[in-house]
Amino acid sequence: MIAVVKTAAQNTRADAVVAADMNTFGKIFRLTSFGESHGRGIGGIIDGCPPGLVIDTDLIQYDLARRKPGQSKITTQRKEDDKIEFLSGIFEGRSQGSPIAFIVWNKDQQSGDYSDLKDIFRPSHADYTYLKKYGTRDHRGGGRSSARETIARVVAGAIGKQLLQKPGISIRAFVSQVGEVRLEKSYTELDLETVEKTIVRCPDQQAAERMIARIETAAKNRDTVGGVITCVVRGVPAGWGEPVFNKLHADLGFAMLGINAVKGFEYGSGFAGTKLSGSEHNDIFIRTEEGIRTKTNNSGGIQGGISNGEDIYFNVAFKPVATLLKEQHTVDKDSKEVTINPKGRHDPCVLPRAVPIVEAMAALVLADHFLLSKLNSI
Amino acid sequence: MIAVVKTAAQNTRADAVVAADMNTFGKIFRLTSFGESHGRGIGGIIDGCPPGLVIDTDLIQYDLARRKPGQSKITTQRKEDDKIEFLSGIFEGRSQGSPIAFIVWNKDQQSGDYSDLKDIFRPSHADYTYLKKYGTRDHRGGGRSSARETIARVVAGAIGKQLLQKPGISIRAFVSQVGEVRLEKSYTELDLETVEKTIVRCPDQQAAERMIARIETAAKNRDTVGGVITCVVRGVPAGWGEPVFNKLHADLGFAMLGINAVKGFEYGSGFAGTKLSGSEHNDIFIRTEEGIRTKTNNSGGIQGGISNGEDIYFNVAFKPVATLLKEQHTVDKDSKEVTINPKGRHDPCVLPRAVPIVEAMAALVLADHFLLSKLNSI
Amino acid sequence: MIAVVKTAAQNTRADAVVAADMNTFGKIFRLTSFGESHGRGIGGIIDGCPPGLVIDTDLIQYDLARRKPGQSKITTQRKEDDKIEFLSGIFEGRSQGSPIAFIVWNKDQQSGDYSDLKDIFRPSHADYTYLKKYGTRDHRGGGRSSARETIARVVAGAIGKQLLQKPGISIRAFVSQVGEVRLEKSYTELDLETVEKTIVRCPDQQAAERMIARIETAAKNRDTVGGVITCVVRGVPAGWGEPVFNKLHADLGFAMLGINAVKGFEYGSGFAGTKLSGSEHNDIFIRTEEGIRTKTNNSGGIQGGISNGEDIYFNVAFKPVATLLKEQHTVDKDSKEVTINPKGRHDPCVLPRAVPIVEAMAALVLADHFLLSKLNSI
Amino acid sequence: MIAVVKTAAQNTRADAVVAADMNTFGKIFRLTSFGESHGRGIGGIIDGCPPGLVIDTDLIQYDLARRKPGQSKITTQRKEDDKIEFLSGIFEGRSQGSPIAFIVWNKDQQSGDYSDLKDIFRPSHADYTYLKKYGTRDHRGGGRSSARETIARVVAGAIGKQLLQKPGISIRAFVSQVGEVRLEKSYTELDLETVEKTIVRCPDQQAAERMIARIETAAKNRDTVGGVITCVVRGVPAGWGEPVFNKLHADLGFAMLGINAVKGFEYGSGFAGTKLSGSEHNDIFIRTEEGIRTKTNNSGGIQGGISNGEDIYFNVAFKPVATLLKEQHTVDKDSKEVTINPKGRHDPCVLPRAVPIVEAMAALVLADHFLLSKLNSI
């Protein structure tokens, strides 16, 4: 879908610096992911899921539907019918304690469409860096670097959410900014149960409309737009997280920064909190009928890396999509100057589809810390 | 140094939810840290350092001096004479490939000073969460949650920096914001060699003066102030990083979020980039005499999780210090309301002293990816 | 295929002690395995395989054929047509540095055959311990505990062998004992290229015949027999292995002891070496045209946990197969006494089919240490 | 203490193949060890020990005393006063959930004594392989390869034993063979509480006397002798262990094979079991008043990699000590032929001193699986 318009000289070899890959996430509840956008499919293995968990496939399919392309007028119109198929680890509807392998098969990829791009480095994509790292790359639709890989995360996260129902934890993400359009209200003023009521996944009807308009403008301009997703986790008891390197927010930040297109992470008061004085920022402990609470929650539910029982909330920054339906200059692997002009169906904004991915990664982190919290009484 | 002013009733038990701890950072070049603020000392073991590296103790001591309290009028006036002592792994001045153990002994802690705080949860500290997690805590000066633990990181990071000299990598952090006082210039307009010329560690003289004034105002008000540290890494070749979960920026973000008081992380265009359109944000590849480069660097030197050879830069948000020399209300472990009024020597702003810690954590991540990049040619 | 003959009283509940599972092997070159004997199939993900390796599917299929049932008159006559199908990580015939997922589909399992065994603990199988650990189990054909799981190891090992061709390493296992029938010659007196010439996989024709006869006797008696497999690794350069916990032989031993039915491991002089005096046992260094060598090789090619360039050789003890075609007494999950009398097609001796499994596990260990050995020069 | 008698020509360089080291043992309860025989000391960090455990230093010192040289007439007469010093992680006598660092300082090493050996490869030691791996080595007393490193294991194991008292587990090792002198009785016929009554640590008085005589003969001959240690673990409930790669016996075998001088490991019926038929070997389940048991215990308490509640027992083979007080031929790093003739105080047999080391490594494995077994109920 890309028309190579012109090329210009010079030969620089991408010398074959190559290295091993790392595709496992988590410490106890672990996802190992596999698959390329134009290979056989995307899948993974979940290891460390406790036995006896009823696996509700509908809930998994529900999150896949929230992630999949073609779901509304503001996403790519590409159709992918992403259906989960389990390969192991579930017997009579329950996890067995053995590895849960799964795959979502790829369908109807037209890999030929990408052959023009074989030797070209698309701006702000991973084409150049993959070649420098591996000395080779599967150029078809981004190969392993495609965001289609997040299917594996959504599946594992959906199972993580089911595990987290046991301690009563809910995870709710929503779009809080698109380009310069920002949801001004705090999440505490909103009903997070209404997130799915707007196609942009913003729980404020008016802000949602402005966001949708902003995305439509981008699409009309054959351009793209970024934004911010906010995620709220409720029900985490005090005492989860590790205090030094694996602070609960460090694990969450690591998870979010591993999502394609993410450029930043902040929790609680975040970057804005840097402008407050300590006396404004400190969360005073108070005694309540439910026990010890804090009056404010600049801490974002985490103190010293460990949950304190308040809501955990954080923001995730997404850059605008790199694929534009516009002419752009670039170079190919021989350092020749070329111009690309992608056609076809691409997302003008990934934010609405990224909401279930943010939730999934949060679920993986929390499922892990749920299990870690059991390494306790002597 | 804390005066308990008054207390008020009710008894809620912090029930003993307890868990194992995780104190190792890194995949190949690994630091395992130990120590409490009022124990014997702070130390660690570095495993995975290649043999034959000349260890320059002066460079380690230099970074420890940049971290230590009492170094200028804007830090706490507490004196700590932090001297590194190696316990293993170095022979005739060189690393041996065996684990490098080290300790910085604690001196003259007056633990008795803290006995008043034994049962009190200081606001926005880790007292409450530690007790909920472990069912016990070493209350003396924060114990394991004290920022004194970062000594181990500074030592290991200083060795990481020495390893990174081999591929020609430099890491330079500086303070770019204190409270609302912000360095407006980009790092590319500044001489990062001048960072140490101001006590606040900002390479712009005028901004530095305003920042120092801001910290002095906070100190005068017996209050504290937060801010932002920016870090620039130069010389990383294209091809480092892992494309899925261990994206180079995800590992960096994880490292930074593991530093005490950090609330956010962004790299390249960061949160501001979310407001740009794709056509503004994309970094166009160009052909230069040095090879392929990008015209702009919104990517922050990382594309698809892998370095592209441009400068890597990122921002780290620090909240204001939680210990105020003011009266504050809180509760104790029996849920009684109490008032604390800390006295003594505390930092009004951690930013200047956190600069070498940010550099150290960046060095640990990059030393690791330097070694990982060797898992390459067949 | 099991006839329950009689049962007797009493009700003891297997209380639900359950736990997470661990299904990943290796440090850099890592196999995560999945699958049950009567689920969809057996497969895995290989992570950490360097890019650019030509993957020869025939070599994988060759090792699968050596493992599969029905290959000769001395193995079970069950037919399984084990065909590898790759799901990711290979493009244009070469590894890409991304995870290599694969599956061998199960076919024609008659799970119904096993329903009689649902609640019965077969002697010296994992039925009882699985239920105690997980509180649940997939009873069909042993589920996850079935030796069919080793298919994943053979596939990954066959790829490991291809990687090890680069440094010129060969791995050769053979049957050196069946019951009390023992191959008396040392491997150095034998041509290991002839291993495949006998169906029992012993490179000595006469010993092979006696072993085959021994297996046939066992089969005739509706009984089973154990034995020993010896493995020889040639071409490992001096300097591989880690000197403390991950001694090269400790990693090999761990790998072998993880194979079903293995009861012991010894390398070099092994248990027999405990009877020698030091002056008999020490391997004297000598100077040769090829460099430094040892005169004898009681060390089995490994000194202080690190390879010394000599042949690495070791023995692996296998117990007799637990499934007998005989009546045996046992209990069921309610502690009722029952009698089982299995019928059908089972191996009287696993040794011939275990030869490629031993080789595969050795290949995984050595591929890992090959990559680890690259974490070297500064 | 080594006299270089003669040397002979030729120059072959040990080319600097070097690599990173791995010094951490365990999954949840983890020991990272450090130190060299002639450095500052031997120590480690235990991470993952649950909080609240009372640490009894006397029990640690007791096991160190069982390990230390000079304890009886049949060990080396070298005196080392090994005293544990804790550096972190213990407060008011209890573990805090934070890393427990410790050191045993080295004293009075006469490193100069070893300078003659600087360039010489002692037969069946790690001198040659270390140099090949690292390109450098601390030659003083074996440096990192010295068995003095096991001090760290004994300390961590002693803490592991204290943790294992909670589920009521006891670990008892003893010497069951010295050279060809073998304890013929099964451990079930012996009172393991009498192990410490003989200096050779064999619970059978008569066998002990023959073993002591055998060691004295070796000493008189300026030679050394190997042997076997048997270890019995009682009280492990059914359900511990992981069924695929981390079988409980695979983890135990890995632990044992990581001890210096170990050449083999077998559990339950072991190598002898390979000669039995299945009908002789199978352990029949029976119903007893205590619940389900097995009639025999060829399984060694582990079935399918998971404990079944019976005694766990295994054998560990030790080669004879490599350091002989005799003239031996060898080569130096320039491939020159030399003769060494060590003098001084060395063990004629390590077995008696290795008993607490075997117990310690078993304790580390079981403490880990104790904690892993908590990753269970949903």
Side-chain angles (χ1 to χ4, degrees):
Chain A
M1 313 281 199
I2 303 257
V4 175
V5 175
K6 63 177 189 199
T7 69
Q10 213 205 16
N11 196 347
T12 311
R13 272 191 40 70
D15 57 340
V17 178
V18 285
D21 198 359
M22 270 183 261
N23 298 280
T24 298
F25 184 89
K27 289 174 274 286
I28 303 289
F29 190 95
R30 289 185 300 284
L31 167 66
T32 302
S33 124
F34 70 81
E36 295 88 22
S37 63
H38 285 64
R40 299 293 313 280
I42 300 289
I45 300 176
I46 300 161
D47 202 2
C49 182
L53 184 68
V54 175
I55 305 294
D56 183 335
T57 307
D58 289 348
L59 289 177
I60 300 169
Q61 216 57 59
Y62 172 73
D63 274 346
L64 284 175
R66 295 165 78 211
R67 195 215 74 95
K68 83 175 175 187
Q71 62 182 267
S72 79
K73 64 177 179 177
I74 55 171
T75 70
T76 167
Q77 295 307 299
R78 225 166 46 233
K79 292 285 179 200
E80 287 163 19
D81 176 30
D82 295 328
K83 224 160 170 186
I84 180 77
E85 185 173 328
F86 286 105
L87 304 175
S88 71
I90 299 175
F91 179 58
E92 298 176 344
R94 289 177 183 267
S95 65
Q96 294 296 301
S98 53
I100 301 171
F102 62 88
I103 189 164
V104 170
W105 298 100
N106 290 335
K107 284 190 178 143
D108 305 321
Q109 284 73 15
Q110 295 162 290
S111 309
D113 294 356
Y114 288 91
S115 56
D116 286 354
L117 280 175
K118 204 165 106 58
D119 298 328
I120 289 174
F121 302 133
R122 290 169 299 162
S124 289
H125 274 91
D127 303 338
Y128 174 67
T129 56
Y130 262 64
L131 193 60
K132 292 299 276 186
K133 178 178 174 70
Y134 295 114
T136 174
R137 76 190 174 91
D138 177 351
H139 62 272
R140 301 165 306 164
R144 181 77 180 142
S145 72
S146 164
R148 195 165 161 74
E149 181 272 337
T150 56
I151 284 175
R153 309 182 188 208
V154 169
V155 171
I159 293 177
K161 284 178 186 178
Q162 297 179 44
L163 179 59
L164 291 167
Q165 286 173 2
K166 304 291 165 178
I169 289 169
S170 76
I171 300 172
R172 279 281 177 195
F174 57 89
V175 176
S176 56
Q177 188 199 307
V178 169
E180 67 295 341
V181 179
R182 202 172 144 183
L183 171 59
E184 296 296 341
K185 290 182 192 152
S186 157
Y187 79 89
T188 55
E189 306 165 60
L190 297 164
D191 177 4
L192 300 188
E193 298 308 307
T194 68
V195 167
E196 294 302 312
K197 295 207 167 143
T198 65
I199 57 176
V200 76
R201 296 201 165 85
C202 170
D204 181 274
Q205 183 71 30
Q206 288 177 332
E209 276 163 28
R210 288 187 298 133
M211 288 172 179
I212 292 167
R214 179 66 189 83
I215 295 172
E216 289 177 325
T217 302
K220 206 177 304 159
N221 295 342
R222 310 181 74 78
D223 211 329
T224 61
V225 64
V228 174
I229 288 176
T230 298
C231 185
V232 181
V233 185
R234 285 175 163 140
V236 176
W240 290 16
E242 299 294 331
V244 180
F245 300 116
N246 291 281
K247 290 181 164 74
L248 189 53
H249 56 264
D251 278 4
L252 286 166
F254 173 68
M256 299 304 145
L257 290 159
I259 299 173
N260 290 17
V262 171
K263 302 291 288 188
F265 170 86
E266 59 180 4
Y267 81 104
S269 63
F271 277 89
T274 64
K275 297 183 180 162
L276 300 180
S277 64
S279 56
E280 295 164 314
H281 193 277
N282 275 2
D283 295 320
I284 300 304
F285 284 110
I286 51 172
R287 152 167 91 93
T288 75
E289 291 189 2
E290 310 149 57
I292 292 173
R293 298 284 309 269
T294 62
K295 220 163 159 176
T296 49
N297 189 14
N298 287 313
S299 299
I302 303 172
Q303 292 177 321
I306 303 169
S307 60
N308 67 357
E310 304 296 323
D311 289 351
I312 294 170
Y313 64 97
F314 55 84
N315 293 323
V316 187
F318 287 80
K319 70 169 187 174
V321 174
T323 301
L324 315 178
L325 302 178
K326 286 191 172 194
E327 195 176 285
Q328 285 183 94
H329 298 285
T330 189
V331 298
D332 70 8
K333 76 183 172 79
D334 300 319
S335 287
K336 277 191 236 157
E337 289 170 1
V338 298
T339 302
I340 59 170
N341 196 356
K343 285 170 180 43
R345 300 160 302 176
H346 291 277
D347 282 291
C349 179
V350 294
L351 278 285
R353 292 178 54 204
V355 163
I357 302 168
V358 165
E359 289 178 2
M361 293 309 295
L364 291 180
V365 170
L366 289 160
D368 219 16
H369 281 279
F370 170 44
L371 295 175
L372 283 169
S373 75
K374 294 178 177 298
L375 299 171
N376 42 18
S377 56
I378 313 182
Chain B
M1 315 278 201
I2 303 257
V4 175
V5 175
K6 64 176 188 201
T7 68
Q10 213 205 15
N11 195 346
T12 312
R13 273 192 39 70
D15 57 340
V17 178
V18 285
D21 198 359
M22 271 184 260
N23 298 280
T24 298
F25 184 89
K27 290 174 273 286
I28 304 290
F29 190 96
R30 289 185 300 284
L31 168 65
T32 301
S33 123
F34 71 81
E36 296 88 21
S37 62
H38 286 63
R40 299 294 313 282
I42 300 289
I45 300 178
I46 301 160
D47 202 3
C49 182
L53 183 69
V54 175
I55 305 295
D56 183 335
T57 308
D58 289 348
L59 290 177
I60 300 169
Q61 216 57 60
Y62 172 74
D63 274 348
L64 283 175
R66 294 166 78 211
R67 195 214 76 93
K68 82 175 174 186
Q71 62 182 267
S72 77
K73 63 176 180 178
I74 55 171
T75 70
T76 166
Q77 295 306 300
R78 226 167 43 236
K79 292 286 178 200
E80 288 164 17
D81 175 32
D82 294 328
K83 222 156 172 190
I84 179 78
E85 184 172 327
F86 285 106
L87 302 175
S88 72
I90 299 176
F91 180 57
E92 298 177 345
R94 287 175 184 270
S95 66
Q96 295 295 302
S98 52
I100 300 171
F102 61 88
I103 190 165
V104 170
W105 299 100
N106 289 337
K107 284 187 181 148
D108 305 321
Q109 285 75 14
Q110 295 162 290
S111 308
D113 294 356
Y114 289 90
S115 54
D116 286 353
L117 281 175
K118 203 164 107 58
D119 297 328
I120 290 174
F121 303 134
R122 290 168 298 162
S124 289
H125 274 90
D127 303 337
Y128 175 67
T129 55
Y130 262 63
L131 192 61
K132 292 300 275 186
K133 179 179 174 69
Y134 296 114
T136 175
R137 75 188 175 92
D138 177 351
H139 62 272
R140 300 164 304 164
R144 182 73 181 145
S145 73
S146 164
R148 193 162 162 76
E149 181 273 335
T150 56
I151 284 176
R153 310 182 187 208
V154 169
V155 170
I159 293 177
K161 284 179 185 176
Q162 296 179 44
L163 178 60
L164 291 167
Q165 285 174 2
K166 304 292 166 177
I169 289 169
S170 76
I171 299 172
R172 280 280 175 196
F174 56 90
V175 176
S176 56
Q177 187 199 309
V178 170
E180 68 293 342
V181 180
R182 200 171 145 184
L183 170 60
E184 296 297 341
K185 290 182 192 155
S186 155
Y187 80 87
T188 55
E189 306 165 60
L190 296 164
D191 178 3
L192 301 188
E193 298 308 308
T194 68
V195 168
E196 294 301 313
K197 295 209 168 141
T198 65
I199 55 176
V200 76
R201 295 201 166 86
C202 171
D204 181 273
Q205 183 70 31
Q206 288 176 331
E209 278 163 26
R210 288 187 300 132
M211 289 170 179
I212 293 166
R214 178 68 188 82
I215 295 172
E216 289 177 325
T217 302
K220 206 176 305 161
N221 296 340
R222 309 182 74 78
D223 211 328
T224 61
V225 65
V228 175
I229 288 176
T230 298
C231 184
V232 181
V233 185
R234 285 175 163 140
V236 176
W240 290 17
E242 299 295 330
V244 181
F245 300 116
N246 290 281
K247 290 181 164 74
L248 189 52
H249 56 264
D251 278 5
L252 286 167
F254 172 68
M256 298 305 145
L257 290 158
I259 299 173
N260 290 17
V262 170
K263 302 291 289 189
F265 170 86
E266 59 180 3
Y267 80 103
S269 63
F271 276 88
T274 63
K275 297 183 179 162
L276 300 180
S277 64
S279 57
E280 293 164 317
H281 193 277
N282 274 2
D283 295 318
I284 301 305
F285 284 110
I286 52 171
R287 152 167 89 93
T288 74
E289 290 189 2
E290 311 148 56
I292 292 173
R293 301 283 308 270
T294 62
K295 221 164 158 174
T296 48
N297 188 15
N298 287 314
S299 299
I302 303 173
Q303 292 177 323
I306 303 169
S307 61
N308 68 357
E310 304 296 324
D311 289 351
I312 294 170
Y313 64 96
F314 55 85
N315 293 324
V316 187
F318 287 79
K319 70 168 186 173
V321 173
T323 301
L324 315 179
L325 303 179
K326 287 190 172 196
E327 195 176 285
Q328 284 182 95
H329 297 286
T330 188
V331 298
D332 69 8
K333 76 185 173 74
D334 300 319
S335 286
K336 279 191 236 157
E337 289 171 2
V338 297
T339 303
I340 57 170
N341 196 357
K343 284 172 181 42
R345 299 160 302 178
H346 291 278
D347 282 292
C349 179
V350 295
L351 278 286
R353 291 178 54 202
V355 164
I357 302 169
V358 165
E359 289 179 4
M361 294 308 295
L364 290 181
V365 170
L366 289 160
D368 218 16
H369 280 280
F370 170 45
L371 296 175
L372 283 168
S373 76
K374 294 178 178 297
L375 299 172
N376 44 15
S377 56
I378 314 181
Chain C
M1 315 280 199
I2 302 259
V4 175
V5 175
K6 63 174 187 203
T7 69
Q10 214 207 15
N11 195 347
T12 311
R13 272 193 39 71
D15 58 339
V17 178
V18 286
D21 199 358
M22 270 183 261
N23 299 278
T24 298
F25 185 90
K27 289 173 274 285
I28 304 289
F29 190 96
R30 288 186 300 283
L31 167 66
T32 302
S33 124
F34 70 82
E36 294 88 22
S37 63
H38 284 63
R40 300 294 313 281
I42 301 287
I45 300 178
I46 301 161
D47 203 2
C49 182
L53 183 70
V54 176
I55 305 295
D56 184 335
T57 307
D58 289 349
L59 289 177
I60 300 169
Q61 216 57 61
Y62 172 73
D63 275 347
L64 283 174
R66 295 165 78 210
R67 194 213 77 94
K68 82 174 175 189
Q71 62 182 270
S72 77
K73 63 177 179 177
I74 55 171
T75 70
T76 165
Q77 294 307 299
R78 225 165 46 233
K79 290 285 177 199
E80 288 164 18
D81 175 32
D82 295 328
K83 220 156 174 192
I84 179 79
E85 184 173 328
F86 285 106
L87 303 174
S88 72
I90 300 176
F91 180 57
E92 298 176 344
R94 288 175 184 268
S95 66
Q96 295 295 300
S98 53
I100 301 171
F102 61 87
I103 191 165
V104 170
W105 300 100
N106 290 336
K107 284 186 180 148
D108 306 320
Q109 284 75 15
Q110 295 162 292
S111 310
D113 294 355
Y114 290 90
S115 54
D116 286 352
L117 280 175
K118 205 164 106 58
D119 297 328
I120 289 174
F121 302 134
R122 291 169 297 163
S124 290
H125 274 89
D127 303 338
Y128 174 68
T129 56
Y130 262 62
L131 193 61
K132 293 298 277 185
K133 177 178 174 71
Y134 294 116
T136 175
R137 74 190 177 91
D138 178 350
H139 62 272
R140 301 165 304 166
R144 180 74 179 145
S145 73
S146 164
R148 193 162 163 75
E149 181 273 335
T150 56
I151 284 176
R153 310 182 186 208
V154 168
V155 171
I159 292 178
K161 284 179 186 176
Q162 295 179 45
L163 178 60
L164 290 167
Q165 285 174 2
K166 303 292 165 175
I169 289 169
S170 76
I171 300 171
R172 281 279 177 198
F174 57 89
V175 176
S176 55
Q177 187 198 308
V178 169
E180 67 295 343
V181 179
R182 202 170 144 183
L183 171 61
E184 297 296 341
K185 290 182 193 155
S186 155
Y187 80 88
T188 55
E189 306 166 59
L190 296 164
D191 177 5
L192 301 187
E193 298 308 307
T194 67
V195 168
E196 295 301 313
K197 296 208 169 143
T198 65
I199 57 176
V200 76
R201 296 203 165 86
C202 171
D204 181 273
Q205 185 69 32
Q206 288 176 331
E209 277 163 28
R210 288 188 298 133
M211 289 171 180
I212 292 167
R214 179 67 190 81
I215 295 172
E216 288 177 325
T217 303
K220 206 175 307 162
N221 296 340
R222 311 181 74 77
D223 211 329
T224 61
V225 65
V228 175
I229 288 177
T230 298
C231 185
V232 181
V233 185
R234 285 174 163 141
V236 176
W240 290 16
E242 300 294 331
V244 181
F245 300 115
N246 290 281
K247 290 181 163 74
L248 190 51
H249 56 264
D251 278 5
L252 286 166
F254 172 68
M256 299 306 145
L257 289 159
I259 299 172
N260 290 17
V262 170
K263 303 290 289 188
F265 170 86
E266 60 180 1
Y267 80 105
S269 63
F271 276 89
T274 63
K275 297 183 180 162
L276 300 180
S277 64
S279 55
E280 293 164 315
H281 192 277
N282 275 1
D283 294 319
I284 300 306
F285 284 111
I286 52 171
R287 155 166 87 93
T288 73
E289 290 190 3
E290 311 150 57
I292 293 172
R293 299 284 308 269
T294 62
K295 220 163 158 176
T296 49
N297 187 15
N298 287 314
S299 298
I302 303 173
Q303 292 177 324
I306 304 169
S307 61
N308 68 357
E310 304 297 322
D311 289 351
I312 293 170
Y313 64 97
F314 55 85
N315 293 325
V316 187
F318 288 79
K319 69 169 186 174
V321 173
T323 301
L324 315 179
L325 302 179
K326 287 190 173 196
E327 195 175 284
Q328 284 182 95
H329 298 285
T330 187
V331 299
D332 69 9
K333 76 184 171 76
D334 300 319
S335 287
K336 279 190 235 158
E337 288 170 2
V338 297
T339 303
I340 58 171
N341 196 356
K343 286 173 177 41
R345 301 160 300 178
H346 291 278
D347 282 291
C349 178
V350 295
L351 278 285
R353 292 178 55 203
V355 163
I357 303 168
V358 165
E359 289 178 4
M361 293 310 293
L364 290 180
V365 170
L366 289 160
D368 218 17
H369 280 278
F370 170 43
L371 295 175
L372 283 168
S373 75
K374 294 178 176 298
L375 299 171
N376 43 16
S377 57
I378 314 183
Chain D
M1 312 282 198
I2 303 258
V4 176
V5 174
K6 65 174 187 202
T7 69
Q10 213 203 16
N11 195 348
T12 311
R13 270 192 40 70
D15 58 338
V17 178
V18 284
D21 197 359
M22 269 183 262
N23 297 280
T24 298
F25 184 90
K27 290 174 274 286
I28 304 288
F29 190 95
R30 290 184 298 284
L31 167 66
T32 302
S33 123
F34 70 81
E36 295 88 23
S37 63
H38 285 64
R40 298 294 313 282
I42 300 289
I45 300 178
I46 300 160
D47 204 2
C49 181
L53 183 69
V54 175
I55 305 294
D56 183 336
T57 307
D58 288 349
L59 289 178
I60 300 169
Q61 216 58 59
Y62 172 73
D63 274 347
L64 284 175
R66 294 164 80 211
R67 195 214 76 94
K68 80 175 178 188
Q71 62 183 267
S72 77
K73 64 177 179 176
I74 56 171
T75 70
T76 166
Q77 295 307 300
R78 225 165 47 233
K79 291 286 177 198
E80 287 164 19
D81 175 31
D82 294 329
K83 221 156 174 192
I84 180 77
E85 183 172 329
F86 285 106
L87 303 174
S88 73
I90 300 176
F91 180 57
E92 298 176 344
R94 286 177 185 269
S95 66
Q96 295 295 301
S98 52
I100 300 171
F102 62 87
I103 190 165
V104 170
W105 300 100
N106 290 336
K107 284 189 181 146
D108 305 321
Q109 285 75 15
Q110 295 162 291
S111 310
D113 294 355
Y114 289 90
S115 56
D116 285 354
L117 281 175
K118 204 165 107 60
D119 298 328
I120 290 174
F121 302 134
R122 289 170 298 163
S124 289
H125 274 90
D127 304 338
Y128 174 68
T129 56
Y130 263 62
L131 193 61
K132 293 300 275 186
K133 179 178 174 67
Y134 295 114
T136 174
R137 74 188 176 93
D138 177 350
H139 62 272
R140 300 166 304 165
R144 181 73 179 146
S145 73
S146 163
R148 192 162 162 77
E149 181 273 334
T150 56
I151 284 176
R153 310 182 186 208
V154 169
V155 171
I159 293 178
K161 284 180 186 176
Q162 296 180 42
L163 178 60
L164 291 167
Q165 286 174 0
K166 303 293 166 176
I169 289 170
S170 76
I171 300 172
R172 281 279 176 197
F174 56 89
V175 176
S176 55
Q177 188 199 307
V178 169
E180 68 294 341
V181 180
R182 203 172 144 184
L183 170 61
E184 296 297 340
K185 290 182 192 152
S186 157
Y187 80 87
T188 56
E189 306 166 60
L190 296 163
D191 178 3
L192 301 187
E193 298 307 308
T194 67
V195 168
E196 295 301 313
K197 295 207 168 145
T198 64
I199 57 176
V200 75
R201 297 203 163 85
C202 171
D204 182 273
Q205 183 70 31
Q206 288 175 332
E209 276 162 28
R210 287 187 299 131
M211 289 171 179
I212 292 167
R214 178 66 189 82
I215 295 172
E216 289 177 325
T217 302
K220 205 177 304 163
N221 295 342
R222 310 181 74 77
D223 211 330
T224 61
V225 64
V228 174
I229 288 177
T230 297
C231 184
V232 181
V233 185
R234 284 176 164 139
V236 176
W240 289 16
E242 299 294 331
V244 181
F245 300 117
N246 290 281
K247 289 180 165 76
L248 190 52
H249 56 263
D251 279 4
L252 286 167
F254 173 67
M256 298 305 143
L257 290 158
I259 298 173
N260 290 16
V262 171
K263 303 291 289 188
F265 170 86
E266 60 180 1
Y267 80 104
S269 64
F271 277 88
T274 63
K275 296 182 181 163
L276 301 180
S277 64
S279 56
E280 294 164 314
H281 193 277
N282 276 2
D283 294 320
I284 300 306
F285 284 111
I286 51 171
R287 155 167 88 94
T288 74
E289 291 190 1
E290 312 149 56
I292 293 174
R293 299 284 308 268
T294 62
K295 222 163 156 176
T296 48
N297 189 15
N298 287 313
S299 298
I302 304 172
Q303 292 177 323
I306 303 170
S307 60
N308 68 356
E310 303 297 323
D311 289 350
I312 294 170
Y313 64 97
F314 54 85
N315 293 324
V316 187
F318 287 79
K319 68 170 188 174
V321 174
T323 301
L324 316 178
L325 302 179
K326 286 190 173 197
E327 195 175 283
Q328 283 183 96
H329 298 284
T330 188
V331 299
D332 68 10
K333 78 185 172 74
D334 300 318
S335 286
K336 278 191 234 156
E337 289 169 359
V338 297
T339 302
I340 58 171
N341 196 355
K343 287 171 178 42
R345 300 160 302 177
H346 291 277
D347 281 292
C349 179
V350 295
L351 278 284
R353 292 179 53 203
V355 163
I357 303 169
V358 164
E359 289 178 2
M361 293 309 294
L364 290 179
V365 170
L366 289 160
D368 219 16
H369 280 278
F370 170 44
L371 295 175
L372 284 167
S373 76
K374 294 178 176 299
L375 301 170
N376 44 15
S377 57
I378 311 182

